[in-house]
Amino acid sequence: MKLYFLSIITFFSIHCTAQNTSTDVWKTLSHVEMKTSMDETLGFEVSEPIFGGEVEMIDGSIITISGYILPVDSENGTSILSYMPFANCFFCGNAGPETVIELDMPKKQSLVNKKVTVKGRLNLNRDDFYSLIYKLSAAKVIDVEN
């Protein structure tokens, strides 16, 4: 019985540690499908995210994730964190919407297109198709790779 209990503790410790790596967070965020439907009010097709169970479980959680900061709107300082550098990012047509996160943080122009690690609260966007499907609120850069 003692060995069984110890095995369970070890399994969960390893599993929880693995889930905290940045690569695993991006992998978890990839569990989303985009459902396209006609919005009669707007008169055009819109995409709605259907989040997988793993993604739903981390909604509202504080996460740590690495990627590249890319400016979106220089006037108000809006930035995103991309899994890939600018040349390969979602906006260049080589990836999906699950590879970018809107950052709610002060403008950091000196970090543009540098690999960083960011910590913040993950929020899923289910309704606003004018925004990204993921947002990191109260985001803070905690590491910058040289």
Side-chain angles (χ1 to χ4, degrees):
M1 181 71 167
K2 203 176 203 182
L3 182 59
Y4 177 74
F5 181 74
L6 200 54
S7 297
I8 290 174
I9 297 286
T10 303
F11 170 78
F12 282 112
S13 297
I14 292 169
H15 182 70
C16 291
T17 302
Q19 287 298 315
N20 288 332
T21 67
S22 181
T23 304
D24 287 337
V25 174
W26 283 115
K27 185 176 179 181
T28 298
L29 295 178
S30 73
H31 294 254
V32 62
E33 292 181 29
M34 299 305 288
K35 176 184 163 190
T36 303
S37 61
M38 184 66 166
D39 186 308
E40 299 301 327
T41 307
L42 298 172
F44 57 84
E45 286 188 344
V46 295
S47 293
E48 172 189 358
I50 308 299
F51 299 106
E54 290 180 47
V55 179
E56 291 283 357
M57 286 175 47
I58 62 171
D59 184 24
S61 298
I62 301 294
I63 65 167
T64 302
I65 190 164
S66 295
Y68 299 86
I69 291 184
L70 308 173
V72 176
D73 182 347
S74 59
E75 286 187 27
N76 72 10
T78 302
S79 303
I80 63 169
L81 184 72
S82 173
Y83 176 68
M84 295 178 246
F86 182 72
N88 300 326
C89 83
F90 169 61
F91 297 102
C92 298
N94 293 326
E98 72 281 357
T99 64
V100 291
I101 301 174
E102 182 180 341
L103 297 176
D104 173 25
M105 63 184 265
K107 189 162 111 175
K108 298 278 185 182
Q109 289 296 338
S110 63
L111 298 177
V112 170
N113 221 16
K114 291 185 180 180
K115 184 136 188 197
V116 299
T117 301
V118 179
K119 185 175 185 175
R121 184 171 307 278
L122 178 68
N123 301 295
L124 306 183
N125 175 14
R126 294 175 177 83
D127 306 316
D128 182 4
F129 53 83
Y130 290 113
S131 295
L132 298 177
I133 62 174
Y134 299 120
K135 182 172 185 174
L136 205 59
S137 59
K140 294 182 179 146
V141 174
I142 58 172
D143 189 35
V144 179
E145 285 187 23
N146 292 324

